[in-house]
Amino acid sequence: MADLSKYFDTIPHRELMKAVARRVRDGSVLRLIKSWLRAPVAEEGKDGTKRVTPNRRGTPQGGVISPLLANLYLNPLDHGVNEKTSGQARMVRYADDFVIACRAGKSQEVVRRLKKWLTAKGLTLNEAKTRLVNIREQGINFLGFNLTWRRSRRGRGYLHVEPNQKSRRALREKLGDILNHRTLWRPVKEVMEEVNRVLRGWAGYFHYGNSTSVMGRMGQHSRNRLRRWLWRKHACRRALWSHYTDTRLQQHYGLYELPITAAWKAH
């Protein structure tokens, strides 16, 4: 697992513009991007004084085009690892966070080559957030997923991928923010729309790999949370379990059902 130190703040403008120019031929667009990158940073101190600092490196944080430029600058690293290592290593990257998987005994060489490439590009590896892991002995968390090496019922080893504990807790907290005693005054239809947006978004991201059991547990949690909210909203006049059944929650109230069968996404 690896991370880059202050990546967005340290991208060299000259090298970045060269990478952009290989894909964009319109001179006016290139000048616009260059001017945007070099726009000075204006800051106001606590005493009200304003300070303007020249911007010679990096892409502005929060800029709409910053993620695109940041990905463009690291794109050669993706191809270098995935296409030029003869199958000895594979990389999965999201912005400046990435994981490189390699064969046993090859990790030190991969790290050495990685550091060399980053130095040539004016970047630095974040040593504090970079570590070598034997996936057969220790799992890792990456992009909200937990990856561990397990054995199937037939005894075959496989990489088990499912939503990690932090991601599950985040979903429970979001549902708790919507379905609680402070929201009992809201119309049921309005609340259901918000709940379903949260569930669909979570499922759209995490319906991957070996998420079947986690989806089942989180689906049960969402149903329990909703039935208790409805029970309180309707002044507890109906039986909690016999009236607000799973079928009723889904068919009458329209609760989105988290997909149980996970499918590996094609790359």
Side-chain angles (χ1 to χ4, degrees), residues 53-244:
T53 305
N55 186 18
R56 297 186 176 89
R57 297 177 70 87
T59 59
Q61 293 283 359
V64 293
I65 201 174
S66 287
L68 176 61
L69 294 177
N71 276 322
L72 176 64
Y73 194 62
L74 284 182
N75 193 50
L77 177 61
D78 298 354
H79 293 289
V81 174
N82 293 332
E83 297 175 5
K84 299 180 180 180
T85 58
S86 302
Q88 298 298 309
R90 296 289 294 177
M91 185 173 77
V92 178
R93 180 177 64 84
Y94 181 83
D96 59 335
D97 295 317
F98 54 92
V99 170
I100 299 180
C102 64
R103 297 181 182 276
K106 299 290 185 179
S107 58
Q108 295 294 342
E109 174 63 17
V110 169
V111 171
R112 186 191 66 79
R113 294 178 60 182
L114 174 63
K115 289 182 177 179
K116 182 179 179 180
W117 189 93
L118 293 174
T119 299
K121 291 290 185 177
L123 305 174
T124 306
L125 195 65
N126 188 332
E127 300 286 354
K129 294 184 178 180
T130 299
R131 58 193 180 99
L132 299 178
V133 176
N134 184 340
I135 196 65
R136 294 177 182 269
E137 299 176 357
Q138 181 182 0
I140 62 173
N141 290 309
F142 183 60
L143 302 181
F145 288 92
N146 178 250
L147 290 75
T148 54
W149 188 261
R150 301 187 185 183
R151 292 202 172 275
S152 67
R153 294 178 180 177
R154 297 182 178 180
R156 298 182 61 182
Y158 73 99
L159 185 64
H160 188 91
V161 181
E162 66 179 21
N164 62 23
Q165 292 292 341
K166 184 177 180 180
S167 301
R168 302 179 213 178
R169 183 169 61 252
L171 176 59
R172 289 192 292 267
E173 290 175 353
K174 284 184 179 180
L175 292 175
D177 290 339
I178 303 170
L179 302 170
N180 60 70
H181 66 279
R182 295 184 298 275
T183 63
L184 293 174
W185 59 273
R186 296 179 61 187
V188 173
K189 182 179 179 180
E190 179 182 292
V191 169
M192 289 307 309
E193 289 176 351
E194 187 173 354
V195 167
N196 286 339
R197 280 197 299 271
V198 170
L199 292 175
R200 286 194 181 94
W202 199 84
Y205 184 85
F206 289 107
H207 182 213
Y208 181 88
N210 315 100
S211 63
T212 297
S213 62
V214 173
M215 287 288 174
R217 290 195 296 272
M218 298 310 297
Q220 187 60 48
H221 175 82
S222 64
R223 291 190 293 272
N224 289 341
R225 191 88 200 194
L226 176 60
R227 65 165 49 94
R228 290 186 180 280
W229 184 84
L230 290 168
W231 184 60
R232 293 189 179 96
K233 182 175 179 61
H234 297 150
C236 309
R237 290 192 297 267
R238 299 180 182 275
L240 174 63
W241 298 101
S242 61
H243 180 74
Y244 299 106

